[in-house]
Amino acid sequence: MPDPRTGSGLLHAPRLRGDLPAAAPQPVRGRPARRHPAALLRATLLADAKKDLPGAARIIDRALGIPDERPAPGELLRLRADLAQRSGDTETSRRAQAEAEAAVSAAVLNEWL
């Protein structure tokens, strides 16, 4: 049967979407897969862009309480110390800074062993 649009050849059935090969899933950019890096990104953006220091501190405190992601990375603890210092909470700032130094020391020690 000829194609009525062109007047020649056979009618060709259009390819259905299901006939096409599936594309490989693409990774989402800008969102770290692990929770600590994601919390670090969100807290940094919240503190610097929105100037919401208490909100950023809550994000970090929540991330530090995640039991399956221990030990806590030093970056989170350093940011928590910075936020506490900017908020005027010197006690929390000192404690978080000491924990950050301990976490970094432990990470370095684990790499050597």
Side-chain angles (χ1 to χ4, degrees):
M1 170 188 251
D3 185 352
R5 289 173 286 171
T6 62
S8 66
L10 297 175
L11 283 175
H12 297 284
R15 284 187 82 169
L16 300 175
R17 258 316 204 185
D19 293 343
L20 300 175
Q26 298 294 318
V28 178
R29 293 181 186 212
R31 292 196 69 201
R34 293 179 45 114
R35 289 184 257 179
H36 278 165
L40 183 63
L41 176 66
R42 284 193 312 268
T44 302
L45 291 174
L46 195 60
D48 294 341
K50 301 278 188 174
K51 306 293 185 223
D52 183 4
L53 301 179
R58 278 192 304 272
I59 290 172
I60 292 174
D61 290 341
R62 202 172 302 134
L64 290 173
I66 298 171
D68 61 339
E69 296 229 5
R70 292 281 181 205
E75 296 92 12
L76 269 180
L77 292 164
R78 278 192 217 112
L79 180 58
R80 183 63 180 105
D82 178 55
L83 293 171
Q85 184 178 14
R86 288 166 45 182
S87 298
D89 186 358
T90 56
E91 180 59 34
T92 303
S93 177
R94 279 191 215 122
R95 182 178 43 80
Q97 186 63 35
E99 289 177 18
E101 290 171 7
V104 169
S105 297
V108 169
L109 184 61
N110 284 340
E111 285 181 19
W112 282 46
L113 297 177

